[in-house]
Amino acid sequence: MSATLILAPGRERSVMRRHPWIFAGSVDRLDGRARPGDTVLVQAASGRVLGRAAFSPASQIRARMWTFEDESIDDAFFRRTVTRAVEQRRDLPELAGEFGPRGGVRLLHGESDGLPGVIADRYADVIVLQITGAGGEKWRQAIAEALVRATGIARVYERSDSDVRALEGLEPRCGWLIGDGEPPFPVIAEPGVAGDVNIEIDVAGGHKTGFYLDQRDNRRLCGELARERRVLNCFCYTGGFSLHALAGGAASVLSIDSSGPALATARRNVGHNPQIDAARAEWLEADVFQALRTFRSEGRRFDLIVLDPPKFAPSAAHAKAAARAYKDINLLGFRLLAPGGLLMTYSCSGGVDPDFFQKIVADAAADAGVSARVLRRLSAGADHPVGLAFPEGEYLKGLLLRVG
Ligand code: SAH
């Protein structure tokens, strides 16, 4: 018999709207015993059954809903849910190439795919699984096996070392779940303006699961816009936007990141792309905030600037401090743009919504004394769906702007 989590009166509303998180403050009591990650039945105060959730006593998110239906949570549940997520992506023509031998695609996008705290990215012949919740922790092997069945890809590597695990009371855990040998360095083929761009991924040592697949469409757009422009790519990581800009015929591409290992991978990526002119690429290991101030004092100008900073606001509580950092970086960006220049600017902070982000960028333009217009609103690709009941899933937003 599983335990039952009973909500406080009136606190069932968000679960009834299929939001997957149950906060500690909404819980009245737990009937029975449950260990971290155990499946509990969820009931409204009235006794109405709302579904089943993974219990997480250490977290403010006390439980995460696995299902809003009357179904058991077992290996078959994970097979069904994983297969549905993979098939949904396979059905989309724009992702067809990502199921080829060197594709790169997010297969599981957590809450929005009905699997709270579970992320899976496919890089060519390896799947990388990242678990950030107590429920996924318990079912990792079932999820890994379901991924292999649904994709035919034989190897699954775990990268569960995100800081947020501490909030759930979970230790870091990395290594093979299925497969063995040295950690892999798969090379994916990312669609670009002039054919594929090859990108190597350091599965064991890279950030997150090794790469930022969410920017795939935006990197391609950067390649389309870069022709004959002087490009500045800030927070370049392993060079994704830079490689697409070079492949798109940029006059020059200056890329900045504070991570030496990321830049070492970026340099290797240049070698994986013989079609690009390496002489047009310059790589700078530096703090972007400082480097941009220096460029400003040197009077340097660029025609296309990419600003893709790390998450400044992990939650709404950090939004104010994050807003200052976003404004600062965008202000510096506007000041370095030549007349008619383009800015691709992003925020991947869950705590900053698209309207707020646009307002911050507008404030930055006003302070820089430039007129700018939005040419496009940008977001993550179709392999990062956003559950309608889970607006938090829309963490990545961007703007393509033109000044002057
Ligand atoms: N645009 C990249 C992803 C960027 S992730 C892509 O398409 O793959 C954010 C990057 O910002 C990380 O590589 C991190 O090392 C870098 N970073 C974080 N703070 C920084 C700072 N103050 N200055 C320079 N780089 C920074």
Side-chain angles (χ1 to χ4, degrees):
M1 254 311 275
S2 72
T4 302
L5 194 71
I6 298 160
L7 304 187
R11 294 307 186 93
E12 69 281 5
R13 214 172 304 153
S14 93
V15 179
M16 289 185 65
R17 290 181 54 85
R18 297 189 168 231
H19 193 284
W21 293 348
I22 298 173
F23 286 94
S26 299
V27 173
D28 180 52
R29 65 183 192 280
L30 179 73
D31 269 1
R33 277 165 191 268
R35 290 180 312 265
D38 280 355
T39 302
V40 293
L41 192 70
V42 179
Q43 270 184 10
S46 65
R48 176 174 173 161
V49 173
L50 303 173
R52 288 191 163 82
F55 183 58
S56 185
S59 174
Q60 274 308 301
I61 304 178
R62 190 54 44 91
R64 295 166 193 251
M65 298 296 291
W66 285 132
T67 181
F68 302 90
E69 317 291 336
D70 181 16
E71 61 183 330
S72 12
I73 304 306
D74 50 17
D75 287 1
F77 167 81
F78 289 100
R79 276 204 295 275
R80 285 196 301 278
T81 310
V82 167
T83 303
R84 185 185 63 205
V86 173
E87 291 309 319
Q88 276 177 15
R89 287 157 173 81
R90 248 198 246 280
D91 280 350
L92 288 173
E94 64 183 288
L95 293 176
E98 307 310 335
F99 287 89
R102 292 204 296 129
V105 60
R106 174 150 293 190
L107 298 168
L108 302 177
H109 189 43
E111 279 74 353
S112 296
D113 279 310
L115 294 170
V118 180
I119 296 290
D121 288 332
R122 177 254 170 138
Y123 303 124
D125 63 349
V126 59
I127 293 169
V128 184
L129 184 64
Q130 182 180 70
I131 290 168
T132 53
E137 191 77 358
K138 183 163 168 142
W139 293 99
R140 57 158 52 81
Q141 206 63 35
I143 294 166
E145 281 162 20
L147 283 163
V148 169
R149 276 172 78 116
T151 60
I153 293 164
R155 305 192 294 168
V156 182
Y157 194 89
E158 181 171 11
R159 274 296 305 273
S160 297
D161 54 349
S162 158
D163 293 344
V164 301
R165 282 172 64 89
L167 302 174
E168 298 268 321
L170 303 172
E171 298 289 323
R173 193 173 188 281
C174 296
W176 289 110
L177 281 171
I178 301 176
D180 53 30
E182 292 295 308
F185 291 85
V187 178
I188 63 167
E190 194 168 71
V193 60
D196 289 339
V197 168
N198 298 317
I199 301 178
E200 176 186 311
I201 289 148
D202 180 353
V203 162
H207 298 173
K208 313 260 172 133
T209 65
F211 191 53
Y212 296 90
L213 286 170
D214 52 2
Q215 291 282 27
R216 181 197 307 108
D217 297 354
N218 297 318
R219 285 188 286 260
R220 184 190 174 112
L221 176 62
C222 176
E224 287 168 4
L225 298 170
R227 186 156 198 81
E228 287 171 14
R229 288 194 152 102
R230 293 164 295 175
V231 177
L232 173 64
N233 180 12
C234 299
F235 310 97
C236 69
Y237 188 48
T238 57
F241 280 92
S242 312
L243 298 164
H244 281 270
L246 291 160
S252 62
V253 180
L254 173 53
S255 310
I256 310 175
D257 202 279
S258 56
S259 161
L263 289 170
T265 305
R267 288 203 175 83
R268 281 202 301 281
N269 279 332
V270 172
H272 292 314
N273 288 278
Q275 78 280 22
I276 67 178
D277 179 359
R280 297 185 185 192
E282 192 186 332
W283 306 94
L284 183 61
E285 183 176 336
D287 173 66
V288 165
F289 292 84
Q290 278 174 16
L292 297 200
R293 287 198 169 83
T294 306
F295 294 164
R296 163 87 174 145
S297 65
E298 294 168 351
R300 290 185 72 162
R301 286 285 183 275
F302 300 90
D303 308 303
L304 168 59
I305 297 179
V306 180
L307 298 175
D308 184 23
K311 190 158 59 181
F312 292 143
S315 74
H318 303 80
K320 215 168 158 199
R324 272 195 298 277
Y326 285 120
K327 183 173 167 191
D328 197 20
I329 201 79
N330 280 281
L331 176 61
L332 289 163
F334 280 125
R335 289 193 164 140
L336 292 172
L337 276 177
L342 299 173
L343 181 64
M344 300 180 88
T345 182
Y346 299 92
S347 161
C348 60
S349 293
V352 174
D353 70 28
D355 286 348
F356 186 36
F357 182 58
Q358 184 167 329
K359 194 172 167 304
I360 296 167
V361 175
D363 286 348
D367 281 16
V370 300
S371 316
R373 59 209 62 82
V374 177
L375 303 186
R376 280 209 208 179
R377 293 200 163 73
L378 308 168
S379 63
D383 50 343
H384 294 62
V386 180
L388 258 188
F390 187 69
E392 294 90 337
E394 193 182 356
Y395 64 97
L396 180 66
K397 54 258 147 197
L399 297 168
L400 170 62
L401 300 155
R402 187 179 168 115
V403 300

